[in-house]
Amino acid sequence: MARYDVVIVGAGGAGLRAAIEASMDPNIRVAVISKVYPTRSHTGAAQGGINASLGNVIPEDSPESHAFDTIKGSDFLADQDAVFFMCENAPDIIYELDRWGVPFSRLPDGRIAQRPFGGASFPRTVFSADRTGHVILHTLFEQALARDNIDFYNEYFLLDIIHNGVRVKGVSVYDIKNGEVLNIEAKAVILATGGFARIYWQRSTNAVGNTGDGVAVAFRAGLALKDMEFIQFHPTGLAKTGILLSEACRGEGGYLLNALGERFMKRYAPEKMELAPRDMVSRAIEYEIKEGRGVGSGTSAYVYLDLRHLGEAKIKERLPQVRQLAIDFEGVDPVKELVPIRPTAHYCMGGIHVVNYRTSATELEGLYAVGECACVSVHGANRLGGNSLTEILVFGKFCGISAREYAKQVDWLPLTEAERKKNIEFIERLMNREGSEKLADIRKRMGEITWEKVGIFRDERSLQEAYKELSELLERWEAIPVVDKSKIFNTNLVEVLELRNMLELARVVAYSALHRKESRGSHTREDYPNRDDKNFLKHTLVYQRDDKLVIEYIPVSILKYQPAQRTY
C-alpha cells in the first residue's frame, strides 16, 4: 500500500497545476493518478485560448471588465466573489506559463497576442494558434516531471474515495495495466477528473474518457453536486461527428450561414452577431433548423460555418487544427468550402460542490475538487469561451497551495480491514457477474435520451421521461456482464465502470433540470421560457440519500452586479 501527503486524481491542466504547487515544499510527497497518460488528458483538446485581461490589444481591458463579462455571460448565476478572484489572478497565471515556456502566439512587437471571443467586451483571449490547451498541457507535464517529489500513477482508474464520514483517508484505484486494486493513503485528496459531457454519447466534443468518474465517486460518497442542469452545447461541432471546431473560428471572423446563405445571427444578437455567448448561438442554430432553414432534416440537419473570406494564409496560421479536422472528418477544406456544423454537448458548468473558492475545499475535510469536475461556481448557467483554461489554472494553483498546507497540519488516518477489502471484493464480483444486457446498447440509448430529452430544448414531459428511462437504464446496468475475463488492460471492465458513472450523472442532470422551472443560460425550458430571478436565482444542490435523490438550494453570491436583462 502506498502513502502520500497529497493525492491528485486527474492529470489534465487542473491536476498538474495543483501538483506543481503542492510540490513546492520538497518535504511534501505528491501522487498524480490518471486513467490515461497525462498528455492525453482532455485539456489538450482545448483549442481557442485562455482569457486574461493583459490589455495587449486594447489597453483599457481590466480584471473588472473580465469579471463583468463572465457574470453577464453566466446569466447572473455565477458567484461574483469567485469570479473576481479568478479574473484578478488570471494575468499572473499567463505570465507564469510564459516563463515556463508555453509558446503563445505573438503580436508584431513580441508581446503575447490576444483575440476576440464570444461574450467578451475586449479581445482578451490569449492563444497559441488553435492548439492552446495542447501546449499548456505539455508544458505543465514537463514542469511536473522535473520535480522529484511527484510520482505518477498512469492508467489507474478511480473506484472510491476512502473516508470516515468527516475526513478523507485516501483513494481506491484500479490498475488497468495488471488488474489489481490499490488503496492509497492520503492526508489530502484533490479530484481533478474533468467533465462528463460524454453522457450525450453520440453527440459530444469530449473524448470518450470524459465519463465523470470523479464526480460520480464523490456523489456516491455523499457529497453534493451543484448546478448539474447546466450543460453547455458548443455551437460549432462538426455535423457528422460532433468534434469541436474552436470558437476561434468565430473569434477570427468566421460567419454562420443557413441554407439560404443568410448570416442568421443578425436575428438573435444584432450587435455581437457570431460573437454572442455560446448558449445564444447554439439556440439560434437550432431555431434555424426547427424553422426549416437548415440543410437536411431531423438529427442529421446542420448549418454552415464560412471561413473562406479569411483567406488561406490566415487560416493556416491561426486555425491549422480546425482546417485539418474539417478535412479529415467532413471532407471539406475551409479555405475553399463551407463547413457543415451543428451544436454538440461540450462542457459541464455543474459538478462537485466547492464550499470555499479560495481553497477548492469540498464538504468533506481534506477533499478538494478543481477544474471541470468541480462547481466553484464561476461559470453559472453558461461558460464564456476561454474561461475554462483560466479556471483550471487559477483554482488549480490555489488548490495545490491549500492541500499542501493542510497536509502539513494533519496525520494519516489508518484504513480499516473492511476499507482495504471493499473494492477488491467489488471488482471480483463485477468480473464474475452474469447477465444478458449489452454495454453498447445501454450506452447508445443513454446518448439518445440525453440528446433528445435533456438537450438544448427541454420541457416537463421530456425531463420526466428522461429521468424515468435513465433510472431504468441504471437498473439494467446491474445485468451487464464483463465479457473479457483477463486482467491485463481489461478495457471492457473499465467501460462497464464508466457507464455506471455516466448513467448516475445523466440522471442527476435530468433531475436538476426538471426542478428548475425557468430558462437561464444553457438551460432552456420551452414550457418556462423566461428567466425567473424571484424563484430561481439560486444554486441547485443534489445529494444521494440511500437510493433517492434529494434536492436543496443555496443562494448565489452577488456582490456588485445585480441581475439585468442579458442582451448582446
Side-chain angles (χ1 to χ4, degrees):
M1 180 165 62
R3 173 183 274 188
Y4 289 89
D5 296 287
V6 179
V7 168
I8 298 160
V9 187
L16 290 175
R17 187 65 193 82
I20 291 165
E21 209 61 39
S23 72
M24 291 292 185
D25 185 331
N27 297 315
I28 294 290
R29 290 193 65 216
V30 179
V32 178
I33 299 165
S34 177
K35 77 172 175 183
V36 297
Y37 193 75
T39 50
R40 289 184 58 220
S41 299
H42 205 57
T43 299
Q47 297 172 8
I50 173 171
N51 291 342
S53 55
L54 307 184
N56 286 354
V57 176
I58 299 179
E60 288 75 20
D61 194 13
S62 66
E64 174 89 14
S65 180
H66 184 186
F68 173 74
D69 289 341
T70 299
I71 292 160
K72 180 181 176 183
S74 79
D75 221 346
F76 295 91
L77 199 75
D79 286 332
Q80 295 185 16
D81 47 2
V83 171
F84 278 105
F85 181 80
M86 178 181 79
C87 297
E88 287 162 3
N89 283 285
D92 287 345
I93 289 289
I94 297 297
Y95 292 125
E96 192 170 55
L97 292 173
D98 193 38
R99 290 194 298 273
W100 285 347
V102 173
F104 289 124
S105 295
R106 300 281 166 171
L107 297 170
D109 63 6
R111 291 177 301 148
I112 294 170
Q114 296 183 275
R115 61 180 161 207
F117 249 43
S121 304
F122 296 92
R124 70 169 65 94
T125 304
V126 173
F127 60 97
S128 181
D130 58 357
R131 295 187 174 95
T132 313
H134 176 87
V135 296
I136 289 174
L137 180 66
H138 280 254
T139 303
L140 291 174
F141 188 44
E142 291 166 2
Q143 291 292 319
L145 285 175
R147 295 165 193 274
D148 294 334
N149 53 335
I150 300 177
D151 292 340
F152 280 90
Y153 289 76
N154 299 327
E155 295 172 320
Y156 282 75
F157 185 88
L158 177 65
L159 295 173
D160 214 354
I161 300 162
I162 307 170
H163 65 98
N164 62 5
V166 178
R167 215 186 107 190
V168 74
K169 293 184 173 187
V171 294
S172 185
V173 294
Y174 173 76
D175 184 346
I176 300 170
K177 294 187 292 295
N178 64 27
E180 300 296 325
V181 172
L182 175 66
N183 295 314
I184 302 178
E185 290 185 4
K187 297 176 182 177
V189 172
I190 298 172
L191 296 178
T193 53
F196 49 90
R198 265 290 155 183
I199 64 172
Y200 295 84
W201 185 253
Q202 303 95 318
R203 192 78 206 156
S204 175
T205 66
N206 285 196
V208 292
N210 277 36
T211 53
D213 307 323
V215 186
V217 164
F219 188 56
R220 289 196 291 271
L223 278 77
L225 302 185
K226 183 162 66 181
D227 292 344
M228 293 287 282
E229 60 268 42
F230 297 108
I231 304 289
Q232 182 168 85
F233 297 89
H234 198 289
T236 53
L238 287 173
K240 291 177 183 174
T241 60
I243 289 171
L244 174 70
L245 292 190
S246 169
E247 186 160 320
C249 296
R250 290 173 287 126
E252 294 292 348
Y255 301 152
L256 293 174
L257 305 178
N258 61 21
L260 305 175
E262 295 177 300
R263 282 184 71 187
F264 56 84
M265 283 308 300
K266 64 189 176 189
R267 277 193 279 276
Y268 306 96
E271 290 185 26
K272 286 286 188 180
M273 294 289 285
E274 285 86 3
L275 286 176
R278 289 174 176 174
D279 58 331
M280 289 186 168
V281 181
S282 292
R283 278 195 298 276
I285 293 170
E286 290 298 314
Y287 277 129
E288 290 295 301
I289 290 170
K290 284 176 82 172
E291 293 293 318
R293 293 187 291 271
V295 182
S297 61
T299 55
S300 60
Y302 56 85
V303 297
Y304 290 117
L305 173 67
D306 187 2
L307 302 176
R308 297 171 299 178
H309 56 284
L310 301 182
E312 185 171 0
K314 187 170 186 178
I315 290 171
K316 286 183 173 179
E317 178 195 351
R318 297 289 187 101
L319 303 168
Q321 188 178 50
V322 162
R323 180 176 184 237
Q324 198 60 52
L325 290 170
I327 292 170
D328 291 346
F329 293 97
E330 286 287 345
V332 298
D333 185 345
V335 171
K336 297 175 281 189
E337 300 167 276
L338 297 171
V339 184
I341 58 96
R342 188 170 184 179
T344 180
H346 177 59
Y347 185 88
C348 306
M349 272 73 74
I352 302 162
H353 175 36
V354 168
V355 298
N356 184 336
Y357 67 87
R358 291 181 178 276
T359 65
S360 293
T362 70
E363 299 165 292
L364 184 66
E365 185 184 335
L367 181 70
Y368 303 81
V370 68
E372 194 177 349
C373 76
C375 184
V376 178
S377 150
V378 287
H379 306 308
N382 173 64
R383 175 175 69 81
L384 291 188
N387 268 354
S388 58
L389 291 177
T390 310
E391 178 199 15
I392 64 175
L393 297 174
V394 169
F395 293 102
K397 174 178 181 173
F398 288 94
C399 179
I401 294 171
S402 303
R404 179 187 74 210
E405 296 307 309
Y406 173 80
K408 292 178 183 178
Q409 301 167 17
V410 299
D411 207 343
W412 290 275
L413 293 177
L415 306 189
T416 66
E417 191 63 24
E419 288 167 340
R420 294 174 195 274
K421 289 182 176 179
K422 176 185 171 186
N423 287 290
I424 296 171
E425 294 170 352
F426 168 67
I427 292 295
E428 285 178 0
R429 287 197 306 273
L430 200 56
M431 288 290 287
N432 295 318
R433 187 168 76 182
E434 295 183 357
S436 58
E437 294 286 0
K438 291 185 177 178
L439 165 71
D441 290 347
I442 292 179
R443 190 170 59 190
K444 181 173 182 287
R445 182 60 194 144
M446 172 193 69
E448 291 168 350
I449 293 166
T450 50
W451 180 255
E452 293 165 8
K453 300 181 180 183
V454 201
I456 293 174
F457 298 108
R458 306 162 175 184
D459 61 31
E460 190 89 5
R461 181 180 172 186
S462 70
L463 292 169
Q464 285 177 339
E465 289 174 353
Y467 178 75
K468 181 174 180 288
E469 291 174 35
L470 290 165
S471 298
E472 290 167 356
L473 290 185
L474 199 50
E475 290 178 11
R476 289 172 59 190
W477 177 86
E478 301 286 349
I480 300 174
V482 177
V483 179
D484 184 355
K485 302 299 180 183
S486 67
K487 281 201 161 188
I488 299 170
F489 273 101
N490 191 332
T491 54
N492 179 206
L493 172 63
V494 171
E495 287 178 347
V496 170
L497 291 166
E498 288 175 330
L499 180 57
R500 176 175 70 154
N501 293 340
M502 286 191 288
L503 287 169
E504 288 182 348
L505 298 180
R507 195 167 73 125
V508 176
V509 171
Y511 188 77
S512 302
L514 181 62
H515 284 77
R516 183 172 286 273
K517 299 181 189 297
E518 66 157 355
S519 291
R520 186 186 296 268
S522 67
H523 171 71
T524 305
R525 289 283 297 259
E526 292 187 291
D527 47 352
Y528 296 97
N530 299 318
R531 194 178 82 191
D532 181 1
D533 288 341
K534 181 180 178 183
N535 295 304
F536 287 101
L537 186 62
K538 55 190 179 183
H539 295 297
T540 305
L541 295 182
V542 177
Y543 293 87
Q544 183 159 312
R545 297 290 180 253
D546 299 321
D547 290 333
K548 294 183 178 179
L549 301 185
V550 176
I551 200 159
E552 296 177 3
Y553 295 96
I554 57 173
V556 176
S557 169
I558 297 174
L559 300 181
K560 186 169 184 180
Y561 299 112
Q562 294 301 313
Q565 187 179 2
R566 186 165 162 253
T567 58
Y568 290 91

